């Protein structure tokens, strides 16, 4: 892996040391600088990452939006149950209900293709900031700036992929509007499901316990990566062979104890720690409340239609679970924003920054209006949000409209040169886009979809002014608009529920689509100009904010004279901390290791607190084998630790001081949901499943001892 200029990116702020560094999702280029030995690491930091040799990071992969680690020389991956959920769901039916009963492949041939899944392994990275920003001209409009940057990023990606056949390239924005790094990934497209515990283990506690501590969820699964017999990346084929990772992570069945040093490697998705108070206000007053309200409603609709029908509930399960996850996280963030007064705290920091800016006339000239300008963009967004959010979610909530939209949008975009297309429709991405859509299409349930459309139209009818000139939507202003009849007519005259028809539509030109008699497509054609207008508007905002945030980083670096790391952006990061208790509120202390006894105590026999009989029996017999926690005499279930994580860290290996896998990260405590905006050593706690529970469940309870053996655990 090539050394890069990333260091200078991170250390823009002419800093000397990283302070008390439990905060921080460090880019791997920084690992050598963190003084990890003094913090508790027992191996050499170069064993975690060294550009010139194989190291731990070669055993880490990205599994769709999650993280995983290779735990055998034969491509076996450990990740979360919730990360493999979609794969388990698509393989399930009411009579082969792997979600309910769990799944175990006794041999490799019995492993099930995880449709729509990909695995990536970071191979190299290179700073390309100069190159990307060289295309920006001072005279450009904000929207043109966004487009120029995006085009240059795509060109660099294409060039890197052409030079490295079979690899996947991605230019990641590290500091908004300022720094860009090109990552090269090995890209695996044949992924299979190997083992999943029943949901009563993998999702024990369900949404009630999600984002909470204490926790008793066995949130893990095993998958396997496959490649063509010659080692090249290939889509599913029977003759494919298990991928041989350069390195796999050693599993330690000894586990951990309170105050032990741990670290995580993974692909954290997105944080917003370098954003302003105006952004936080926007989140607090506009976006998060909207999400909570919208998702609660959608979940209710799915619950209603799936209530007495397992086949329907299965169709909804993945979607409703991910909505519930984000809904609850958003509530946690709202609570945290209010309780910790984060907006006020950031305002106070910005007041100091403003003073610093104004203390020098050149600086004032350059940055004087910066914070106000950023606030101006968010104010404009806040004002437009009620209508724009509803329009955006119209083609999201209603899946049929979503498919019709994707079909038409793809057809329109295909008319343009590849490089100018929206990224998801470029030649290098279209297969994946279509695959995902077809997977969602299989889960379409028309009665639910009708309710979704009904609800969104009702919301849109409130925006009388905005919809006045929007084709199709303007009818909502008329008293004669008979919503139920219109919806029935739409669904009766559309083929979005028919897989073959959808595939045919995907081949058509915009003209052919416009001439088709599919009612959903017809509506999309009418609505399309409005979506194009909003897309352009978003590019303009993105361009403005990109430029402004780029300047903010510059002046903050001058001001703070201390270090900061880039926000999470789904690139490989390292974070470290300790297995540690915390006090979420006055008078309450929560200890960091839960046990099987807690599972039994919580079990009511009613969802989501049902426990398989086998586990109850083994618990009664204290049949724990060597997976007992010496201090409690119990099987440990989950652990809590002070690392810095966010979504995307799901599935990250929890590694001990020796770099051995002792658990799998899957969540954060409720208070830690505001990690995404501000980390704090008092409340930021991540949650993982203890490896001893994983091994006990897999081997002792479900008898998959061949997998333990494969992981080197005898
Ligand atoms: N469970 C989380 C998720 O939604 C992980 C996290 O955000 O910490 O991905």
């Amino acid at each position: 892996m090539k050394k890069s200029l990333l260091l200078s990116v991170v250390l823009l702020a002419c800093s000397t040391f990283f302070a008390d560094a439990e905060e921080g999702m460090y880019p791997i280029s920084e690992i050598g600088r963190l003084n990890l030995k003094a913090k508790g690491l027992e191996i050499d930091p170069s064993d975690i990452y060294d550009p010139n040799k194989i190291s731990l990071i070669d055993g880490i992969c990205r599994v769709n939006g999650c993280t995983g680690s290779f735990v055998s020389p034969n491509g076996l991956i450990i990740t979360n149950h919730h990360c493999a959920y979609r794969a388990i769901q698509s393989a399930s039916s009411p009579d082969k209900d792997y979600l309910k009963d769990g799944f175990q492949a006794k041999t490799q041939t019995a492993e099930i293709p995880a449709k729509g899944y990909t695995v990536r392994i970071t191979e190299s990275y290179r700073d390309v900031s100069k190159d990307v920003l060289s295309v920006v001209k001072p005279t450009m409009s904000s929207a043109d700036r966004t487009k120029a940057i995006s085009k240059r990023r795509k060109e660099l990606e294409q060039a890197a992929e052409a030079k490295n056949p079979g690899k996947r390239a991605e230019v990641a924005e590290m500091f908004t509007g300022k720094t860009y790094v090109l990552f090269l990934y090995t890209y695996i497209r044949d992924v299979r499901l190997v083992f999943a515990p029943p949901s009563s283990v993998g999702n024990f506690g369900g949404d009630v316990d999600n984002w909470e501590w204490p926790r008793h969820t066995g949130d893990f699964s095993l998958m396997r990566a496959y490649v063509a017999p010659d080692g090249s990346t290939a889509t599913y084929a029977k003759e494919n062979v298990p991928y041989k990772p350069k390195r796999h992570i050693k599993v330690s069945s000894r586990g951990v104890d309170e105050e032990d040093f741990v670290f995580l490697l993974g692909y954290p998705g997105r944080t917003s720690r370098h954003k302003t108070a105006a952004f936080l206000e926007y989140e607090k007053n506009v976006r998060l409340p909207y999400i909570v309200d919208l998702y609660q409603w959608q979940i209710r609709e799915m619950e209603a239609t799936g209530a007495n029908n397992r086949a329907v509930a299965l169709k909804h399960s993945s979607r409703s679970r991910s909505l519930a996850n984000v809904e609850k996280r958003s509530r946690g963030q709202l609570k945290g924003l209010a309780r910790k007064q984060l907006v006020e705290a950031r305002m106070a920091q910005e007041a100091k920054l403003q003073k610093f800016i104004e203390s020098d006339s050149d600086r004032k000239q350059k940055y004087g209006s910066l914070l106000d300008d950023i606030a101006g963009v968010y104010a404009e967004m806040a004002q437009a949000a009620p209508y724009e959010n509803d329009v955006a979610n119209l083609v999201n909530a209603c899946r049929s409209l979503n498919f019709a939209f994707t079909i038409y949008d793809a057809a329109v975009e295909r008319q343009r040169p590849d490089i100018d297309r929206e990224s998801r429709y470029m030649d290098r991405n279209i297969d994946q886009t279509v695959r995902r859509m077809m997977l969602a299409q299989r889960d379409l349930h028309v009665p639910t979809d009708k309710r979704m459309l009904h609800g969104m139209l009702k919301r849109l009818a409130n925006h009388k002014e905005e919809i006045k000139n929007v084709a199709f939507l303007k009818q909502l202003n008329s008293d004669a608009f008979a919503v139920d009849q219109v919806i029935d007519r739409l669904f009766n005259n559309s083929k979005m529920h028919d897989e073959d028809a959808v595939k045919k539509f995907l081949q058509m030109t915009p003209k052919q689509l416009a001439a088709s008699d599919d009612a959903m497509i017809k509506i999309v054609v009418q609505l399309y100009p409005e979506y194009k207008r909003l897309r352009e508007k978003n590019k303009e905002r993105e361009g403005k904010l990109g430029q402004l945030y780029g300047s903010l980083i510059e002046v903050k670096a001058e001001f703070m004279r201390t270090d900061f790391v880039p926000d999470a952006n789904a690139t490989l990061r390292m974070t470290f901390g300790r297995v540690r208790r915390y006090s979420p509120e006055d008078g309450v202390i929560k200890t960091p290791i839960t046990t099987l006894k807690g599972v039994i105590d919580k079990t009511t026999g009613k969802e989501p607190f049902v426990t398989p009989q086998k586990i109850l029996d083994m618990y009664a017999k204290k049949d724990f084998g060597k997976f007992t926690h010496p201090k409690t005499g119990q099987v440990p279930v989950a652990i809590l630790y002070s690392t810095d994580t966010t979504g995307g860290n799901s599935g990250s290996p929890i590694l001990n001081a020796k770099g051995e896998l002792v658990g799998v990260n899957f969540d954060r405590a409720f208070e830690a949901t505001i990690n995404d905006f501000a980390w704090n050593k008092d409340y930021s706690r991540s949650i993982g499943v203890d490896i001893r529970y994983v091994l006990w469940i897999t081997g002792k309870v479900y008898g998959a001892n061949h997998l333990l053996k494969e992981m080197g655990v005898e």
Side-chain angles (χ1 to χ4, degrees):
M1 195 178 280
K2 271 186 237 147
K3 266 232 188 294
S4 83
L5 301 173
L6 196 58
L7 211 65
S8 55
V9 172
V10 177
L11 298 178
L12 267 173
C14 50
S15 65
T16 42
F17 296 106
F18 286 109
D20 177 25
E22 277 163 4
E23 166 166 17
M25 301 169 177
Y26 297 100
I28 49 172
S29 53
E30 302 314 300
I31 290 173
R33 301 179 52 83
L34 297 173
N35 205 8
L36 288 171
K37 283 239 159 157
K39 306 265 164 54
L41 185 72
E42 288 172 27
I43 53 174
D44 198 272
S46 70
D47 292 336
I48 302 176
Y49 169 63
D50 182 327
N52 303 312
K53 68 174 197 203
I54 290 174
S55 50
L56 278 181
I57 65 133
D58 294 302
I60 309 299
C61 56
R62 187 160 181 222
V63 183
N64 282 7
C66 289
T67 301
S69 29
F70 290 107
V71 284
S72 94
N74 287 316
L76 188 67
I77 295 169
I78 192 161
T79 185
N80 292 143
H81 183 265
H82 82 261
C83 297
Y85 200 81
R86 191 80 183 72
I88 310 170
Q89 181 208 342
S90 15
S92 293
S93 58
D95 44 309
K96 253 199 272 156
D97 199 335
Y98 300 135
L99 273 183
K100 184 163 158 283
D101 304 326
F103 171 76
Q104 177 186 160
K106 292 239 163 33
T107 60
Q108 283 182 8
T109 40
E111 294 170 4
I112 303 177
K115 293 188 196 115
Y117 276 68
T118 58
V119 160
R120 294 181 195 198
I121 303 134
T122 301
E123 292 294 342
S124 66
Y125 59 86
R126 176 161 68 87
D127 190 296
V128 290
S129 311
K130 259 204 181 133
D131 193 332
V132 170
L133 293 173
S134 69
V135 297
V136 174
K137 306 272 171 297
T139 49
M140 274 177 173
S141 71
S142 298
D144 286 345
R145 186 180 194 274
T146 310
K147 286 181 204 160
I149 290 180
S150 146
K151 185 167 175 179
R152 188 65 195 138
R153 286 169 75 173
K154 290 190 259 182
E155 283 167 352
L156 289 168
E157 287 165 353
Q158 278 184 336
E161 284 176 7
K163 232 168 106 189
N164 299 278
K167 300 276 186 255
R168 173 105 191 155
E170 227 151 73
V171 173
E173 184 173 55
M174 304 305 282
F175 285 107
T176 310
K178 188 90 198 131
T179 47
Y180 299 85
V181 172
L182 184 140
F183 286 86
L184 202 61
Y185 298 101
T186 285
Y187 190 50
I188 296 177
R189 288 179 294 163
D190 182 355
V191 186
R192 304 185 195 172
L193 184 66
V194 178
F195 180 92
S199 291
S200 52
V201 173
N203 189 24
F204 182 77
D207 200 39
V208 180
D209 270 11
N210 195 20
W211 303 108
E212 306 283 350
W213 183 262
R215 194 64 164 275
H216 298 86
T217 315
D219 193 351
F220 75 95
S221 285
L222 296 164
M223 303 181 97
R224 194 185 304 278
Y226 280 80
V227 288
D230 66 359
S232 63
T233 176
T235 50
Y236 172 82
K238 229 171 144 192
E239 60 277 14
N240 285 353
V241 295
Y243 169 71
K244 304 271 181 207
K246 282 189 231 163
R247 165 86 193 243
H248 69 273
I249 312 286
K250 184 173 183 304
V251 171
S252 163
S253 54
R254 284 194 314 276
V256 269
D257 238 315
E258 184 159 6
E259 282 305 309
D260 280 358
F261 174 87
V262 286
F263 67 101
L264 267 66
L265 292 162
Y267 289 89
R270 198 146 289 291
T271 53
S272 305
R273 301 200 186 139
H274 297 303
K275 300 247 163 94
T276 60
F279 164 82
L280 292 182
E281 268 190 315
Y282 174 77
E283 290 286 298
K284 187 173 156 192
N285 301 329
V286 181
R287 200 186 69 87
L288 292 170
Y290 181 83
I291 293 287
V292 170
D293 175 57
L294 183 81
Y295 288 7
Q296 281 182 353
W297 159 67
Q298 292 190 27
I299 294 162
R300 274 198 309 272
E301 296 294 7
M302 285 187 268
E303 276 170 359
T305 51
N308 298 311
N309 187 330
R310 180 66 183 154
V312 174
L314 269 175
K315 273 176 186 277
H316 292 153
S317 55
S318 189
R319 183 178 175 197
S320 73
R321 184 163 178 205
S322 63
L323 292 187
N325 186 45
V326 176
E327 186 275 331
K328 192 164 176 191
R329 182 186 68 201
S330 305
R331 273 191 285 126
Q333 291 175 330
L334 279 169
K335 189 169 166 198
L337 280 164
R339 260 177 89 157
K340 305 284 173 196
Q341 305 196 316
L342 291 190
V343 181
E344 295 75 3
R346 206 155 292 184
M347 271 177 172
Q349 285 163 7
E350 284 168 12
K352 286 187 195 148
L353 176 65
Q354 188 66 29
K355 228 168 157 189
F356 171 75
I357 291 173
E358 288 175 9
S359 66
D360 174 283
S361 62
D362 283 352
R363 218 184 282 132
K364 187 171 174 189
Q365 162 89 7
K366 213 166 154 196
Y367 305 113
S369 66
L370 185 58
L371 288 166
D372 282 347
D373 292 346
I374 293 177
V377 181
Y378 290 118
E380 191 251 322
M381 280 165 63
Q383 214 239 330
Y387 166 68
E388 290 185 8
N389 283 341
D390 281 345
V391 179
N393 282 294
L394 170 66
V395 294
N396 238 331
C398 173
R399 304 313 282 169
S400 303
L401 264 185
N402 182 274
F403 305 147
F405 183 84
T406 305
I407 290 167
Y408 189 67
D409 201 23
V412 172
E413 288 287 307
R414 261 202 315 272
Q415 311 293 303
R416 310 169 69 194
D418 190 52
I419 199 78
D420 292 329
R421 293 178 202 160
E422 290 296 308
S423 173
R424 55 200 296 253
Y425 303 120
M426 289 175 72
D427 291 342
R428 59 197 283 273
N429 296 328
I430 186 71
D431 284 354
Q432 187 69 0
T433 303
V434 169
R435 238 195 321 268
R436 294 231 163 108
M437 179 179 132
M438 296 315 295
L439 269 177
Q441 201 270 346
R442 255 184 248 161
D443 289 336
L444 178 69
H445 179 243
V446 168
T448 312
D449 216 31
K450 282 184 167 177
R451 293 170 80 136
M452 296 289 182
L453 181 56
H454 192 281
M456 285 317 300
L457 291 179
K458 215 167 118 196
R459 282 168 185 254
L460 278 156
N462 295 327
H463 305 290
K464 293 202 178 324
E465 271 308 300
E466 291 90 338
I467 60 174
K468 241 170 37 199
N469 299 313
V470 181
F472 179 69
L473 293 183
K474 63 181 173 200
Q475 301 172 73
L476 295 172
N477 279 343
S478 146
D479 291 339
F481 188 76
V483 69
D484 289 324
Q485 281 164 26
V486 171
I487 291 176
D488 279 343
R489 212 174 326 121
L490 262 174
F491 277 86
N492 291 341
N493 294 295
S494 170
K495 291 234 151 48
M496 289 303 124
H497 59 276
D498 175 344
E499 194 174 327
D500 292 333
V502 167
K503 281 187 184 149
K504 274 195 202 129
F505 283 129
L506 277 164
Q507 309 303 322
M508 292 187 185
T509 62
K511 242 188 167 163
Q512 289 168 325
L513 288 169
S516 93
D517 54 8
D518 190 279
M520 290 285 172
I521 291 182
K522 277 187 159 158
I523 288 199
V524 165
V525 174
Q526 289 182 54
L527 285 169
Y528 199 68
E530 180 66 348
Y531 282 94
K532 288 270 300 199
R533 182 183 76 78
L534 294 176
R535 186 178 274 169
E536 197 65 13
K537 187 103 216 115
N538 282 331
K539 290 202 165 131
E540 188 189 312
R541 290 172 187 147
E542 199 187 310
K544 254 189 216 162
L545 286 174
Q547 205 166 1
L548 293 167
Y549 273 119
S551 301
L552 183 67
I553 283 289
E554 265 168 30
V555 70
K556 242 168 100 176
E558 268 182 58
F559 172 56
M560 286 168 66
R561 308 193 73 77
T562 178
D563 30 75
F564 39 92
V565 286
D567 268 315
N569 61 352
T571 60
L572 185 55
R573 305 291 178 100
M574 187 255 195
T575 172
F576 63 92
R578 289 194 178 261
V579 177
R580 186 161 282 177
R581 60 183 60 203
Y582 85 128
S583 169
E585 53 194 294
D586 195 27
V588 178
I589 291 176
K590 294 194 177 183
T591 54
I593 300 180
T594 61
T595 66
L596 191 56
K597 179 178 181 303
V599 175
I600 308 300
D601 290 348
K602 272 186 184 172
T603 299
T604 58
K606 269 212 194 120
E607 290 295 349
F609 296 103
V610 180
T611 296
Q613 189 58 41
K614 222 166 168 185
I615 293 184
L616 298 175
D617 294 345
M618 288 175 80
Y619 177 76
K621 283 192 262 158
K622 301 267 173 287
D623 191 358
F624 306 150
K626 64 175 185 180
F627 305 115
T628 316
H629 181 222
K631 285 188 192 155
T632 55
Q634 289 283 329
V635 183
V637 171
I639 49 179
L640 185 79
Y641 36 92
S642 61
T643 57
D644 185 0
T645 61
T646 187
N649 271 121
S650 286
S652 287
I654 308 166
L655 301 153
N656 65 12
K658 293 193 176 72
E660 299 162 337
L661 190 143
V662 290
V664 186
N665 183 75
F666 67 87
D667 207 5
R668 281 170 282 160
F670 198 58
E671 296 73 24
T673 50
I674 42 166
N675 242 15
D676 295 353
F677 305 132
W679 187 91
N680 184 299
K681 70 178 171 40
D682 296 330
Y683 61 69
S684 289
R685 290 293 181 279
S686 310
I687 299 173
V689 54
D690 190 299
I691 192 65
R692 289 164 287 191
Y693 195 50
V694 171
L695 298 172
W696 186 73
I697 292 283
T698 310
K700 273 225 137 221
V701 180
Y702 291 104
N705 285 305
H706 63 292
L707 295 173
L708 266 56
K709 202 160 164 210
E710 188 179 342
M711 288 187 261
V713 178
E714 302 281 340

